[in-house]
Amino acid sequence: MSVSYNIKYLKSLQAVRERSLRVYELALCGQLQHFEFDETKIDSVADYVLSLVHRDYASIASVPPHGRWRSYCVKTQSGDRDLVAEHVLKWKSSDVSEWECARRVIDLIMVSVLIDAGAGAEWHYEDEELGRFERTEGLGIAALRMFERGVFSSHPHNPFQADARALLVLSDADVALGFQVTDANPLLGCENRAQLLRNLGQALMEGSRYFGGKCACNNHPARPGFMLDYLSGCTEAPLSVSIDDIWDVVIDGLACVWPTGRTQLDGVALGDVWACDALDVDSDSDLSDSADHPRRAETLVPFHKLSQWLTWSLLEVVVKLGKLKVSGTEKLTGLPEYRNGGLLVDMGVLTLSPAACERGLKGGSVPVFEGGDAVIVEWRAMTVALLDKIADRVRAKCGLPNDQLPDMFLARVLEGGTWKAGREIAARLRPTTKDPPINIISDGTLF
């Protein structure tokens, strides 16, 4: 295959599922390098997931799709609140159009997702109104408060936007202040999160095709929300777009957001794509530094986790507020992150090999590895494949006929779901830290 074909393929949603499935097929033959795989325990994971669905929602059909919006649905002493919906109602009462409301929420969601890598067990966020939050919820609430204060906006009279002009000049100190970072409240990769947001500003500037908008000019700098205008021009049928159109915006329009020091082919940075030694048929060779090796592309497994998390999150806004129908959402995969993956380890579907465990234990209670370590790559590939298998079993066990199954089924399994199950079992098994069974050294840009 040509280098250009490989680059296009490795950036596709198709490649995420296909390459992870290749690793899964090796697991069925006992050929994983770093884990033991017990296929018989997948059913018990599906049963546990369904038990949480029935506990919290009664039916899988009632579970909302997995997305960043969920971080803004909070429980308070006065009842459940949807902080995003509250803002939309306020904006509409001030004669803001529904289309502009959708743009604003897209602005919020994009910056909120890009800073949503693992925060670490030591960090928290204290909100004056809502109280204390940790991990992803804390990052989400912090991003919302920064959005409300106009930290991401250059508009003198409208704080409720994120635009290239403001993001480009965002400082590390601005982000640290917004996340209440101190020596006593450290946030993993804080400076890298700030750089991601500056990179977003650059991507908006360079991506006028996607983010320029119909009214973009000197008075209206590029915004994430203007992607809605781009998508409205992609409709093949009235108010209908393909998931491929949204994926193009994310994977191409935001290409310069991701760190360039990761995997490259022919000088092109691929993003969240990593070499998997289980796919290297010649285990005696070392391809880690052989960028032009003809076999290198065949060993690479793409995940595009933050890009997919962003796409799942944007879908809800595009459909609910933008009133667009989106086809092909089944192309998206489950997210290979530490809650979904941790569930598989904690429930015995995957068991880390003794050698890998010994190498990863560095004085803590769980093994720790860099994000690009072969252990993590294999773990994440198996997570993508196994989330599909779990979703298939939940579909078969949930009791609904096919014509009553909700759309974006996998997103509801994740929400209802595997992500929650991973968090709850981690808290039960490791109540002090609530860490996953395997930890990743976070740089603020990957998980």
Side-chain angles (χ1 to χ4, degrees), residues 19 21 71 77 127 179 244 386:
R19 287 291 168 90
L21 184 58
S71 295
Q77 291 183 344
D127 188 75
F179 287 115
D244 295 321
L386 285 166

Side-chain angles (χ1 to χ4, degrees), residues 206-443:
E206 296 177 0
S208 58
R209 174 189 178 195
Y210 302 119
F211 307 115
K214 296 176 181 177
C215 62
C217 59
N218 288 336
N219 294 326
H220 298 280
R223 293 169 51 190
F226 283 145
M227 67 174 283
L228 197 61
D229 301 76
Y230 166 78
L231 291 174
S232 70
C234 296
T235 52
E236 297 176 358
L239 300 178
S240 178
V241 297
S242 166
I243 191 63
D244 295 321
D245 297 318
I246 300 177
W247 186 245
D248 284 346
V249 174
V250 173
I251 203 68
D252 291 332
L254 302 180
C256 72
V257 169
W258 312 115
T260 58
R262 293 183 184 159
T263 307
Q264 297 187 0
L265 278 181
D266 200 29
V268 176
L270 299 176
D272 187 11
V273 180
W274 309 87
C276 179
D277 54 9
L279 296 180
D280 182 8
V281 294
D282 181 3
S283 59
D284 292 331
S285 67
D286 181 5
L287 303 185
S288 60
D289 297 317
S290 306
D292 298 319
H293 196 289
R295 221 176 50 250
R296 177 174 170 76
E298 296 302 313
T299 72
L300 297 179
V301 181
F303 300 113
H304 305 302
K305 183 265 176 179
L306 273 177
S307 297
Q308 289 210 75
W309 176 223
L310 177 58
T311 304
W312 279 121
S313 299
L314 291 172
L315 270 174
E316 186 168 9
V317 187
V318 167
V319 171
K320 186 181 292 187
L321 299 180
K323 308 300 183 186
L324 297 178
K325 295 180 180 179
V326 182
S327 62
T329 58
E330 69 279 358
K331 294 180 181 180
L332 291 165
T333 75
L335 300 177
E337 48 76 55
Y338 64 82
R339 289 305 183 201
N340 290 325
L343 171 67
L344 303 172
V345 175
D346 278 334
M347 294 198 68
V349 180
L350 296 173
T351 302
L352 190 61
S353 71
C357 188
E358 182 180 358
R359 180 167 65 84
L361 284 171
K362 299 177 173 66
S365 58
V366 299
V368 180
F369 302 93
E370 296 281 353
D373 191 285
V375 169
I376 301 301
V377 177
E378 191 170 275
W379 184 32
R380 297 180 77 200
M382 287 298 293
T383 299
V384 170
L386 285 166
L387 287 171
D388 278 346
K389 305 303 179 185
I390 293 166
D392 289 344
R393 283 164 171 75
V394 170
R395 186 181 289 108
K397 293 169 176 279
C398 71
L400 294 177
N402 287 339
D403 60 356
Q404 293 182 27
L405 291 173
D407 60 355
M408 294 194 283
F409 188 85
L410 178 57
R412 299 172 197 276
V413 172
L414 296 174
E415 178 63 27
T418 57
W419 185 88
K420 183 183 295 181
R423 168 178 275 193
E424 292 196 8
I425 197 169
R428 187 165 68 247
L429 295 177
R430 293 168 293 279
T432 302
T433 64
K434 303 176 184 176
D435 278 343
I438 301 171
N439 247 329
I440 302 103
I441 298 172
S442 176
D443 66 354

Side-chain angles (χ1 to χ4, degrees), residues 69 83-93 96 98 101-102 105 321:
W69 198 318
L83 304 179
V84 170
E86 289 176 10
H87 273 298
V88 171
L89 285 175
K90 291 176 184 176
W91 295 334
K92 286 182 178 179
S93 69
V96 176
E98 194 160 9
C101 287
V105 177
L321 299 180

Side-chain angles (χ1 to χ4, degrees), residues 43-61 63 343 390-400 409 413 416-418 421:
D43 262 350
S44 62
V45 176
D47 290 339
Y48 180 41
V49 167
L50 264 177
S51 74
L52 296 186
V53 168
H54 293 151
R55 181 193 72 186
D56 297 335
Y57 299 99
S59 167
I60 191 71
V63 180
L343 171 67
I390 293 166
D392 289 344
R393 283 164 171 75
V394 170
R395 186 181 289 108
K397 293 169 176 279
C398 71
L400 294 177
F409 188 85
V413 172
T418 57

Side-chain angles (χ1 to χ4, degrees), residues 88-143:
V88 171
L89 285 175
K90 291 176 184 176
W91 295 334
K92 286 182 178 179
S93 69
S94 300
D95 295 326
V96 176
S97 71
E98 194 160 9
W99 196 253
E100 171 60 17
C101 287
R103 285 176 179 155
R104 291 182 178 188
V105 177
I106 289 173
D107 286 354
L108 168 63
I109 292 295
M110 191 170 288
V111 296
S112 183
V113 166
L114 289 183
I115 53 80
D116 191 32
E122 298 181 63
W123 179 82
H124 67 276
Y125 183 81
E126 291 285 352
D127 188 75
E128 291 184 0
E129 179 185 4
L130 300 173
R132 181 184 174 116
F133 294 87
E134 300 173 349
R135 298 188 183 264
T136 186
E137 289 86 359
L139 294 169
I141 297 297

Side-chain angles (χ1 to χ4, degrees), residues 169-180:
V169 298
L170 196 67
S171 70
D172 293 355
D174 293 330
V175 174
L177 179 65
F179 287 115
Q180 301 176 349

